[in-house]
């Protein structure tokens, strides 16, 4: 069960929050690229990579939370609980690998 769009669309505020977080992560990654170009100390680069990974994971958790609270609940109420639960477990397993 794959959808091109969320079953329950994100609110404008949710979309704005996710995009703002992603822009910050993008800025962090550009900063890391600059650090590499400047041949900065490896430990400093690794610390920044860790921070970017953490920030990106938070974005993922925010999207996952929306999916669980809205898309999964809506699908379950419409009789698609088996399919949507299997999809949710699959995405949680994939997401937790990172």
């Amino acid at each position: 069960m794959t959808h091109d769009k969320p079953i329950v669309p994100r609110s404008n505020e949710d979309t704005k929050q996710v995009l703002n977080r992603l822009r910050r992560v993008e800025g962090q990654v550009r900063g890391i690229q600059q650090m590499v170009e400047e041949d900065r100390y490896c430990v400093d680069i690794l610390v920044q990579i860790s921070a970017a990974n953490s920030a990106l994971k938070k974005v993922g958790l925010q999207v996952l939370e929306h999916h669980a609270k809205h898309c999964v609940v809506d699908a379950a109420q419409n009789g698609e609980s088996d399919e949507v639960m299997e999809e949710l477990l699959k995405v949680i397993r994939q997401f937790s690998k990172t």
Side-chain angles (χ1 to χ4, degrees):
M1 168 187 228
T2 303
H3 301 277
D4 291 337
K5 294 187 178 253
I7 296 170
V8 178
R10 287 171 204 83
S11 70
N12 288 339
E13 184 60 31
D14 285 343
T15 298
K16 184 179 175 182
Q17 286 178 354
V18 169
L19 289 174
N20 284 340
R21 286 181 179 216
L22 286 171
R23 286 183 187 108
R24 273 182 275 182
V25 171
E26 182 181 26
Q28 286 178 300
V29 171
R30 279 196 304 270
I32 294 166
Q33 288 172 329
Q34 186 174 354
M35 291 174 77
V36 171
E37 288 171 355
E38 294 171 355
D39 201 23
R40 299 270 298 274
Y41 186 53
C42 296
V43 172
D44 293 340
I45 295 170
L46 291 168
V47 166
Q48 292 306 311
I49 289 171
S50 177
N53 280 334
S54 177
L56 194 55
K57 189 146 197 143
K58 286 180 185 177
V59 174
L61 288 172
Q62 185 177 2
V63 172
L64 182 60
E65 182 178 336
H66 176 274
H67 181 66
K69 285 183 175 179
H70 301 285
C71 302
V72 172
V73 169
D74 184 76
Q77 289 172 345
N78 290 315
E80 300 175 30
S81 58
D82 290 342
E83 298 93 8
V84 78
M85 284 306 295
E86 188 56 40
E87 181 184 55
L88 177 62
L89 293 173
K90 182 180 174 183
V91 76
I92 289 171
R93 282 190 291 271
Q94 185 174 351
F95 185 74
S96 65
K97 287 181 185 178
T98 59

